[in-house]
Amino acid sequence: MVYRQEYPRPQLVREDWLNLNGEWDFAFDRDNVGMKEKWHENANAFDLKINVPFAYQTKLSGIHDPSFCDHVWYRRSFSIPKDWGDKSVVIHFGAVDYRAWVYVNGKLAGFHEGGHTSFSFDITDCLTRGTEEIVVRVEDPSTDETIPRGKQFWKEKSEAIWYTRTTGIWQTVWLEPVNETRISKLRFTPNIDQGDILIEFDVLGDYKNTRAEFEIALEDEKIACNTHVVSASYNKHLIHLYQQQIFRTGFHSHGWNWTPENPRLFDIKIRLFDENGNELDKIESYFGMRKIHTENGMVYLNNRPYYQKLVLDQGYWPDGLLTAPTDADLKKDIELTKEMGFNGCRKHQKVEDPRFMYWADKLGFLVWGECAAPPYFSENAVARLTKEWIEIIERDYNHPSLVAWVPINESWGVPFINRDIQQQNHSLAMYHLIHSLDTTRLVISNDGWELTKTDICAIHNYNHGNKDEIAKYEYYKDSLATKESILKSQPAHRNIYADGFKHEGEPILLTEFGGIGFKAGEDAGWGYTSVKTEEEFVADYRRVMEAVYSSKILHGYCYTQLTDVEQEINGLLTYHREPKCDLKKIREINHVWHRQIVEK
């Protein structure tokens, strides 16, 4: 049986943990009446087995049923390892879509709403220290268009750009033993202009008379050892890393700074001691020294202009949907993307597994982070999306690979934003909320068109036409040529900026385009344009990219897309991650552009 075994939280690692992935009992509760009150008395109700963390709609779950079911139940038994002693026990869920009630030995341990972020409950008081039982009740409203759905379709069969739903547990479930006094909410903020790393952390429990010791290393070389006296639950500690050594800075080269070409990561160990020197907690983590900002109409990485060559990545797999079959599959996607000459991705309408972000940090790969959008606007939709974004930023703040946040895409969830003041205010609120929580990244207010206040003018344009549509192609090329032509263009018949807003000097990037459909096998489907052979595929990719090459204003791009997904066949790779052509040819075309941009 396939299941995910790797450590699920790479940004805060403790030595002891217990993976609860694998076979669980499972039940459909299609009427939401048969088990709601008496599930613990109905031993026969769990008539199926499921392979966690794969949703019941997937092949890897062992069930593979794509039909609607808004209420499902999970159950499994476990035992606490004896060497955990009498420590407190926390249960962690990587993600459960959409609402989850967690019971341990018949007691409600906690409730969480939101399908894309991690949550945890201290279950110590629920334990018997014998054979334990966990039951999870899940509610996932299949047709509710006011919850963040992203590409999960609210109709039963996939079509166009929407795909099969994910219901229930879809990331790792695990247990962790902890002392009552321990570290939580670890946060790293690099400052490359000063050469400092700011460490913020909370201490739960009795923090009085405790101290934290930090040990930082780079490539196994110890850089700094500091001690911090804990005087409050919230703590802030600054460590200087450059130490007046010029080659550690980015002045002559990358130095100790993180880039896709030079993904240097610092390892850090943090130990918490009581007044008698007893170790209360020990965690391991990492960080990168990275800065992203805009200036003079360009994006700067570590104070140098940086041209982003991104690919749109939906993060779907044929056998696991939103859940990658293995950790190696997450790594492979990044490796294949880099092999084609891209330096990052826009993770589209999905909050990706922390393991993907770990590999992006490790391998050197830029990421634009998104959240699934609700299809329709309402006050409930605003509240639900806002809650998830607060949790997303808390979870993923420390990843140096993450350089931008995209709270809204193509006016999804704000369909009347062009003139509707309330929906414009929602866009503005999301922009300012994210900046209030994270000052280290760029925020794109409405990726595609009808932008409000934004750090990047991100436009989508698929109007390149087929190879024999010469006039259409020339118009497409002209529409990308200058700032003026871009700002007056109306891709998809939408204004680039919403009424009352205008371009204020921010960098202009083409963040969706291409989408060339190529059958590549027996799969049927569609793309924005189509070709029939590998040779035509490469030629059309070159043709579309040449239109972008010729632009005098674009300072980055995001090509659609990395892989085919279900009925969409417009990927550079098939759904099973097989190349549709010699990837060296794609890399050559991408590098030609890079050379031309440098020459400009």
Side-chain angles (χ1 to χ4, degrees):
M1 180 178 286
V2 177
Y3 64 98
R4 299 283 297 274
Q5 302 180 63
E6 67 283 344
Y7 193 87
R9 190 185 57 194
Q11 274 287 345
L12 199 162
V13 178
R14 291 189 175 96
E15 183 177 359
D16 293 329
W17 69 294
L18 179 65
N19 192 332
L20 293 184
N21 289 344
E23 186 177 84
W24 289 51
D25 300 325
F26 182 81
F28 290 109
D29 189 8
R30 296 189 186 277
D31 298 324
N32 191 29
V33 293
M35 298 175 63
K36 188 172 182 181
E37 300 299 334
K38 298 185 177 181
W39 55 264
H40 58 288
E41 299 175 4
N42 194 350
N44 296 323
F46 291 91
D47 55 349
L48 296 170
K49 301 292 184 182
I50 190 168
N51 182 17
V52 169
F54 300 100
Y56 78 77
Q57 293 94 339
T58 70
K59 182 178 179 180
L60 286 173
S61 72
I63 297 176
H64 202 197
D65 180 352
S67 64
F68 281 165
C69 185
D70 290 1
H71 303 89
V72 297
W73 294 74
Y74 296 78
R75 182 183 67 187
R76 72 158 289 167
S77 298
F78 63 93
S79 298
I80 300 299
K82 292 182 179 179
D83 60 0
W84 288 9
D86 59 354
K87 286 188 174 183
S88 299
V89 177
V90 176
I91 188 166
H92 299 275
F93 291 83
V96 181
D97 199 348
Y98 174 68
R99 299 184 181 98
W101 292 258
V102 178
Y103 302 88
V104 177
N105 297 321
K107 299 178 181 179
L108 179 63
F111 166 79
H112 181 263
E113 178 175 344
H116 309 94
T117 51
S118 307
F119 59 94
S120 305
F121 304 123
D122 188 325
I123 61 172
T124 309
D125 293 341
C126 301
L127 299 175
T128 66
R129 302 289 173 171
T131 299
E132 320 285 358
E133 181 184 72
I134 178 174
V135 171
V136 181
R137 176 190 171 217
V138 171
E139 179 185 24
D140 185 25
S142 301
T143 61
D144 188 340
E145 297 183 37
T146 65
I147 65 174
R149 308 192 64 86
K151 291 304 190 81
Q152 299 186 55
F153 204 18
W154 51 96
K155 296 183 180 180
E156 200 155 30
K157 293 184 179 180
S158 301
E159 64 179 72
I161 60 171
W162 290 282
Y163 317 133
T164 305
R165 293 158 304 287
T166 291
T167 293
I169 299 170
W170 67 277
Q171 289 184 26
T172 293
V173 185
W174 54 293
L175 298 175
E176 182 180 39
V178 292
N179 286 322
E180 184 178 342
T181 302
R182 61 186 184 273
I183 295 166
S184 72
K185 292 188 178 180
L186 183 62
R187 185 176 169 113
F188 301 115
T189 304
N191 182 339
I192 71 163
D193 296 325
Q194 299 297 324
D196 298 330
I197 184 70
L198 177 64
I199 305 168
E200 297 173 272
F201 62 100
D202 286 357
V203 177
L204 300 180
D206 185 7
Y207 58 79
K208 295 179 180 178
N209 301 316
T210 62
R211 71 179 191 279
E213 293 188 356
F214 306 92
E215 181 181 302
I216 297 176
L218 178 64
E219 298 170 356
D220 296 326
E221 178 184 354
K222 194 178 295 185
I223 302 301
C225 293
N226 283 38
T227 298
H228 175 89
V229 176
V230 177
S231 58
S233 177
Y234 167 76
N235 296 267
K236 181 185 289 189
H237 190 83
L238 190 71
I239 297 178
H240 184 62
L241 297 175
Y242 292 168
Q243 298 171 340
Q244 298 184 339
Q245 296 185 45
I246 193 65
F247 288 136
R248 294 185 178 184
T249 75
F251 183 75
H252 290 291
S253 62
H254 295 302
W256 280 6
N257 296 335
W258 186 97
T259 69
E261 299 75 25
N262 184 58
R264 308 197 80 170
L265 296 174
F266 293 82
D267 295 312
I268 182 168
K269 295 179 182 178
I270 306 177
R271 302 168 72 190
L272 188 67
F273 296 92
D274 66 16
E275 59 183 331
N276 298 316
N278 299 311
E279 186 178 274
L280 301 172
D281 199 6
K282 178 183 177 181
I283 62 174
E284 296 183 2
S285 188
Y286 67 89
F287 62 87
M289 297 294 288
R290 191 267 299 131
K291 175 184 177 182
I292 190 87
H293 79 284
T294 63
E295 186 178 332
N296 300 322
M298 294 181 287
V299 176
Y300 283 69
L301 180 65
N302 301 334
N303 295 325
R304 296 180 179 183
Y306 194 88
Y307 196 85
Q308 295 178 79
K309 300 183 292 179
L310 312 178
V311 69
L312 196 74
D313 181 359
Q314 311 269 11
Y316 271 75
W317 284 265
D319 295 336
L321 296 179
L322 289 179
T323 310
T326 69
D327 187 51
D329 288 298
L330 293 167
K331 181 183 180 185
K332 181 181 178 183
D333 274 8
I334 295 174
E335 291 173 333
L336 286 170
T337 306
K338 287 175 69 78
E339 186 179 338
M340 288 185 280
F342 297 97
N343 54 29
C345 77
R346 179 173 159 225
K347 207 59 166 177
H348 191 39
Q349 288 297 295
K350 179 188 180 185
V351 182
E352 190 53 277
D353 190 309
R355 294 294 307 185
F356 178 88
M357 299 310 309
Y358 166 78
W359 286 117
D361 296 338
K362 193 83 172 174
L363 298 174
F365 192 67
L366 301 178
V367 179
W368 286 22
E370 285 189 52
C371 178
Y376 205 78
F377 183 84
S378 73
E379 287 75 13
N380 282 338
V382 169
R384 289 163 179 166
L385 187 66
T386 301
K387 176 182 181 294
E388 293 222 33
W389 269 103
I390 292 170
E391 295 181 0
I392 290 166
I393 294 168
E394 181 176 325
R395 193 198 76 171
D396 289 343
Y397 180 88
N398 291 337
H399 293 288
S401 58
L402 261 170
V403 295
W405 295 118
V406 183
I408 299 174
N409 169 72
E410 290 186 346
S411 302
W412 294 6
V414 283
F416 309 118
I417 191 174
N418 191 51
R419 291 184 174 84
D420 189 303
I421 300 299
Q422 184 181 13
Q423 294 184 16
Q424 290 180 359
N425 282 332
H426 174 50
S427 172
L428 290 168
M430 293 304 300
Y431 173 85
H432 290 295
L433 170 70
I434 293 173
H435 268 308
S436 75
L437 297 170
D438 184 354
T439 62
T440 70
R441 293 178 174 91
L442 307 178
V443 180
I444 296 88
S445 67
N446 186 9
D447 203 295
W449 44 67
E450 296 173 337
L451 291 146
T452 58
K453 175 68 176 176
T454 188
D455 295 333
I456 287 177
C457 175
I459 63 171
H460 299 177
N461 193 330
Y462 291 100
N463 298 329
H464 58 271
N466 287 307
K467 65 177 181 180
D468 56 348
E469 296 180 289
I470 306 301
K472 187 173 183 178
Y473 175 76
E474 289 300 323
Y475 180 80
Y476 176 74
K477 186 176 178 180
D478 290 343
S479 70
L480 299 177
T482 66
K483 181 177 80 170
E484 290 73 23
S485 64
I486 286 175
L487 295 180
K488 73 178 182 181
S489 68
Q490 289 187 314
H493 308 290
R494 303 292 190 101
N495 296 327
I496 299 300
Y497 285 84
D499 281 4
F501 297 88
K502 62 181 180 179
H503 186 255
E504 296 182 354
E506 53 268 16
I508 301 175
L509 277 71
L510 183 63
T511 52
E512 281 192 38
F513 69 106
I516 302 166
F518 178 31
K519 196 169 184 179
E522 299 303 320
D523 295 329
W526 68 278
Y528 292 91
T529 56
S530 60
V531 296
K532 295 181 178 179
T533 68
E534 178 179 326
E535 291 73 22
E536 289 179 343
F537 184 63
V538 173
D540 222 39
Y541 182 79
R542 179 178 288 109
R543 180 178 69 93
V544 172
M545 294 303 292
E546 283 176 351
V548 183
Y549 300 166
S550 64
S551 173
K552 296 179 174 62
I553 191 64
L554 293 175
H555 290 283
Y557 66 90
C558 179
Y559 179 82
T560 303
Q561 63 181 334
L562 178 60
T563 74
D564 295 348
V565 183
E566 297 193 355
Q567 65 277 359
E568 282 196 63
I569 57 167
N570 53 13
L572 294 163
L573 310 172
T574 70
Y575 203 5
H576 291 277
R577 275 55 178 179
E578 295 298 327
K580 293 187 178 181
C581 64
D582 183 350
L583 298 187
K584 291 180 182 178
K585 295 179 179 179
I586 301 297
R587 181 182 183 88
E588 179 184 352
I589 295 169
N590 288 340
H591 278 197
V592 165
W593 184 358
H594 180 72
R595 289 195 296 271
Q596 290 188 6
I597 292 299
V598 170
E599 290 169 1
K600 286 181 183 179

